[in-house]
Amino acid sequence: MKWIGGLVLFVLMSVVATAQEAPRPQKVEDLVRLLQDPEVRSWLEKAPGPSIAVEEVDAGLATWEAATRSRIDGVVQVIPRIPGEFMAAASRTRADALSHGKLPVFVVFLGLTAVGLFAERMFARSRRRAEGLQERLLAIGVFTAAMGAVFFAFDWPALPRIVLLVSLLALVVYRTISALLDAAVLASSVRRRAKVFAGVAVVAVAAASLGPPLSIDPAATEAISFCFSIALLALAVEGAVSSSGRTLATRISLCLAFVVIWALWCVGLHGLFWLGVYAMALPTVLRFTGRAAAEAFPSEPDSMKRVLLVRGSRAVVVVAAAAWLALVWRFDPNSLVHDNPVVAAVSYGLLKSVVVLLLADLAWHLARSWIDRRLTVSSGVAGDASQAARQGRLRTLLPIFRNMLAVMVAVVAGLIVLAELGVQIGPLIAGAGIFGVALGFGSQTLVKDVVSGIFYLLDDAFRVGEYIQAKSYKGTVEGFSLRSVRLRHHRGPVFTVPFGELGAVENMSRDWVIDKFRVNVSYDADIEKARKLAKKIGEELKSDPELGPLFIEPLKMKGVEEFGDYGIVLSFAMTTVPGMQTYIRRKAYAKIREAFQANGIEFATPSVQVGGDDRDGAAAAAAIRTQQAKVVAAEG
């Protein structure tokens, strides 16, 4: 971030580079005229092929070398004439203004600036909000609108009009860049350096654009741009050297990179120059753009508006960079794009591919944001049974749809990119179809799993969060893939079961559950009292604030189920929501035990009888002997 100044340097400097084209040297004109001569063309056509190719390459290199040398020599020679050209242009502008009864341009510029600042001040007082990036940009917009209204309200002479327009635009651009730099997370020294060379760069662009309207010699205009580029290069190198947070090797590498990119601009290789600028500047610019766009929705991190703004702003930056690079290639006579059709096709195909990938990325993130928000809403909404079922179905199908959408977007974007690069995708698609058929025959189990999963989902056999049992597998459904389901057993283990292995599925979590259990009481227990106690217990459980919402039908005693070996078997039943029957049954057991013990209803217990068939006679004889022993003892 500390060398952002150097990055902005080359971004703005290149505007000057592409705005001015070097005049074609006389030698080049003579060469072109000679190549168009019929006799020369006839001789070249009869010459051997390899020699022609070599001569064409040599002629292209010679032409480029001659144009570059002539451009540099002309810039060096015209530098001493820059002050004179500047003073002459200023005199012509002043004379044009005074001849039409207007004030000098500098005075008018100060007046328009004062009007804009006054309107901006009134706007700031009316808003009374915390100053942020959006507020500053709005204020700059008011400043620009006020100056523009006054500027277009009067009829200005030709030369003062163009000077005023360029100066006002330069002022607005510099203020906008300053606002963006203030919003960036930068150290104060780095921000100050960035503003300094941003101001120099804006002045350089304004001076270069004023050259043709003010009738300044094109060579002098190019020399002015060259001088400004040296000043900006010095500022960029100074900023890289002063960045104490970087290692020495990194700082040296940055300085060399700046010098190399500047040298590419000097020799007229504008395409390579822009590629170097993008390689260094785009990552930082994209991070800053995304962070600034995300500040518009700080409380909605996953909203579609935020995704659209963040991803869209980054896409706009990249598309603008690609469009500008295409324009540079189109109007740069030294570009290889003009000389080689293959290079041109690949180059423009790459630019189009960048746009396609950005659109695919934006579409995918928008779709994923919508799906994630739907999953979040469906997880937190509690309603009636139909609403809960619909939300459960969404939680089951949306993750699979998200995965399928990701694959589809990636495949479509890849095919479009290949088509833009000149690859014939028709045979590729046909070959992929044949390969798919062969793969289907070779992996029948996989196809079986995928097809079975599709029909399970269409039948709504189970959803995420439901407890199911299929063959020897049972557990809570945690998630799906295209070929398997993931089950979490109630004891912890996780089963990943292919759809083709499920077979018949027993869903234990759908709609409602009837839970039945039995209680054994003694044969002398009062059955009617037990029924009334069970009914009372059911009402108590139904009225409980925690357990009541879990009931569909309260606890009831169905009656005598059977006569057991040790007592009577009573049957109880209740209807609850799925998954809660075990919890409610434990509560019912505790209350039944307390109620039966409090009302004298004994539970049946196993007993063992020891002895033969004359159990009653032996007992009577024993009682007689005991009585006789007591009588003898009393007489003695």
Side-chain angles (χ1 to χ4, degrees), residues 391-616:
Q391 299 299 335
R393 188 169 177 82
L394 287 178
R395 289 196 304 271
T396 302
L397 297 178
L398 285 180
I400 298 178
F401 175 72
R402 180 177 56 193
N403 296 335
M404 295 177 61
L405 181 64
V407 174
M408 183 176 63
V409 170
V411 171
V412 173
L415 291 177
I416 295 177
V417 168
L418 292 176
E420 293 297 338
L421 294 177
V423 178
Q424 297 294 329
I425 63 174
L428 184 63
I429 295 176
I434 297 174
F435 177 76
V437 173
L439 182 63
F441 281 110
S443 56
Q444 297 183 17
T445 303
L446 177 62
V447 175
K448 175 184 176 183
D449 294 336
V450 174
V451 174
S452 299
I454 293 174
F455 282 102
Y456 275 124
L457 296 178
L458 291 178
D459 293 338
D460 195 21
F462 43 80
R463 305 164 187 161
V464 174
E466 294 183 339
Y467 193 92
I468 66 172
Q469 180 172 357
K471 295 184 179 179
S472 60
Y473 306 104
K474 60 181 177 180
T476 303
V477 179
E478 286 192 342
F480 297 90
S481 67
L482 291 177
R483 62 170 297 271
S484 62
V485 59
R486 188 170 63 254
L487 303 179
R488 172 75 66 173
H489 194 269
H490 57 270
R491 293 180 180 176
V494 177
F495 299 104
T496 300
V497 187
F499 286 118
E501 298 293 331
L502 287 179
V505 176
E506 179 182 357
N507 194 326
M508 304 179 185
S509 301
R510 188 65 59 88
D511 301 331
W512 42 266
V513 173
I514 297 179
D515 187 68
K516 296 182 179 181
F517 58 91
R518 299 177 179 183
V519 175
N520 294 339
V521 297
S522 62
Y523 278 103
D524 57 353
D526 190 344
I527 303 300
E528 182 62 21
K529 181 184 289 187
R531 187 188 63 81
K532 293 180 179 180
L533 290 175
K535 182 178 180 180
K536 183 178 180 181
I537 293 172
E539 293 175 354
E540 292 178 359
L541 293 175
K542 182 72 174 179
S543 61
D544 186 272
E546 179 183 358
L547 302 177
L550 306 179
F551 276 99
I552 297 177
E553 290 186 6
L555 175 67
K556 294 181 180 179
M557 192 184 83
K558 297 298 184 178
V560 178
E561 185 71 20
E562 63 180 5
F563 292 100
D565 295 334
Y566 310 107
I568 302 175
V569 180
L570 302 181
S571 176
F572 296 83
M574 57 184 174
T575 305
T576 66
V577 297
M580 302 304 298
Q581 63 273 16
T582 304
Y583 174 70
I584 300 176
R585 188 196 311 147
R586 295 191 186 100
K587 298 289 185 179
Y589 279 158
K591 288 186 173 293
I592 290 174
R593 176 184 177 276
E594 294 176 0
F596 281 14
Q597 287 183 349
N599 291 272
I601 299 178
E602 297 181 357
F603 293 95
T605 57
S607 61
V608 179
Q609 298 178 357
V610 181
D613 294 338
D614 58 345
R615 179 182 56 183
D616 295 337

Side-chain angles (χ1 to χ4, degrees), residues 217-391:
D217 185 6
T221 302
E222 189 172 1
I224 293 174
S225 302
F226 182 78
C227 294
F228 273 116
S229 69
I230 294 178
L232 293 173
L233 176 62
L235 290 174
V237 172
E238 189 274 336
V241 172
S242 302
S243 57
S244 58
R246 300 183 182 276
T247 61
L248 179 61
T250 303
R251 284 180 281 179
I252 294 176
S253 301
L254 287 176
C255 294
L256 292 177
F258 291 154
V259 173
V260 169
I261 294 176
W262 176 79
L264 291 175
W265 171 74
C266 289
V267 298
L269 299 177
H270 297 158
L272 295 178
F273 165 79
W274 271 104
L275 289 177
V277 170
Y278 292 159
M280 298 185 66
L282 273 183
T284 302
V285 174
L286 292 178
R287 285 196 298 268
F288 171 74
T289 303
R291 184 168 58 250
E295 293 178 356
F297 299 95
S299 59
E300 302 179 10
D302 297 328
S303 64
M304 294 187 63
K305 293 181 180 179
R306 176 167 177 168
V307 172
L308 179 61
L309 185 60
V310 173
R311 294 283 172 177
S313 60
R314 292 177 179 174
V316 168
V317 172
V318 178
V319 169
W324 181 254
L325 186 60
L327 290 176
V328 171
W329 286 343
R330 183 178 181 85
F331 295 105
D332 185 9
N334 298 323
S335 176
L336 293 176
V337 174
H338 296 280
D339 301 331
N340 195 323
V342 177
V343 175
V346 173
S347 301
Y348 288 111
L350 287 174
L351 294 181
K352 295 177 182 178
S353 300
V354 169
V355 176
V356 170
L357 293 177
L358 287 174
L359 293 177
D361 177 75
L362 180 60
W364 159 242
H365 280 88
L366 287 175
R368 189 181 69 173
S369 174
W370 180 82
I371 292 173
D372 291 343
R373 286 179 64 84
R374 293 292 299 176
L375 289 174
T376 303
V377 171
S378 62
S379 300
V381 173
D384 56 5
S386 60
Q387 182 72 10
R390 192 172 71 88
Q391 299 299 335

